[in-house]
Amino acid sequence: MAETSCKACRDDYKVTDAQMERLLKTSMFAPERRVSEAEYQDRLEHCRSCPKLRDGVTCTACGCIIPVIAWLKERSCPLPGGGLWSAVKASE
Ligand code: SF4
């Protein structure tokens, strides 16, 4: 693969479970910013069947670490036409 400026897109770069766990403990992922467990699992289900998902972790459409960012209410699938899953309103 050609060298890109995106570290996560390199073949030799793998995000570890420990790194993901560390991210999930930051204030960015405070409980009020997260979707429910059911919503999270539903999002993962869509991603698992999507050809854009690489190594079960990285979305090649947006470069995001899906098992991490799928927790966030404000995030949505970047595919055109509304994507395969949507953001959740902050009050929900
Ligand atoms: S966020 Fe959307 S485009 Fe990315 S892997 Fe998931 S379903 Fe596919």
Side-chain angles (χ1 to χ4, degrees):
M1 174 186 239
E3 187 67 30
T4 70
S5 58
C6 176
K7 187 175 160 187
C9 291
R10 290 193 340 229
D11 284 336
D12 60 345
Y13 185 81
K14 296 271 187 275
V15 179
T16 66
D17 288 348
Q19 288 170 318
M20 288 193 268
E21 279 305 312
R22 254 198 317 277
L23 278 170
L24 290 171
K25 286 179 182 157
T26 64
S27 58
M28 174 92 181
F29 294 90
E32 65 273 13
R33 303 195 68 184
R34 293 183 181 214
V35 296
S36 67
E37 174 75 29
E39 178 74 28
Y40 175 71
Q41 292 301 334
D42 189 57
R43 288 175 168 190
L44 293 186
E45 198 67 37
H46 283 295
C47 292
R48 281 190 203 108
S49 58
C50 176
K52 298 286 185 189
L53 190 68
R54 180 173 162 170
D55 297 331
V57 173
T58 308
C59 172
T60 56
C62 63
C64 291
I65 304 166
I66 292 300
V68 174
I69 67 99
W71 277 114
L72 292 174
K73 287 179 178 175
E74 80 254 24
R75 297 305 298 263
S76 60
C77 169
L79 289 180
L84 299 185
W85 47 271
S86 308
V88 171
K89 290 189 189 95
S91 58
E92 290 179 33

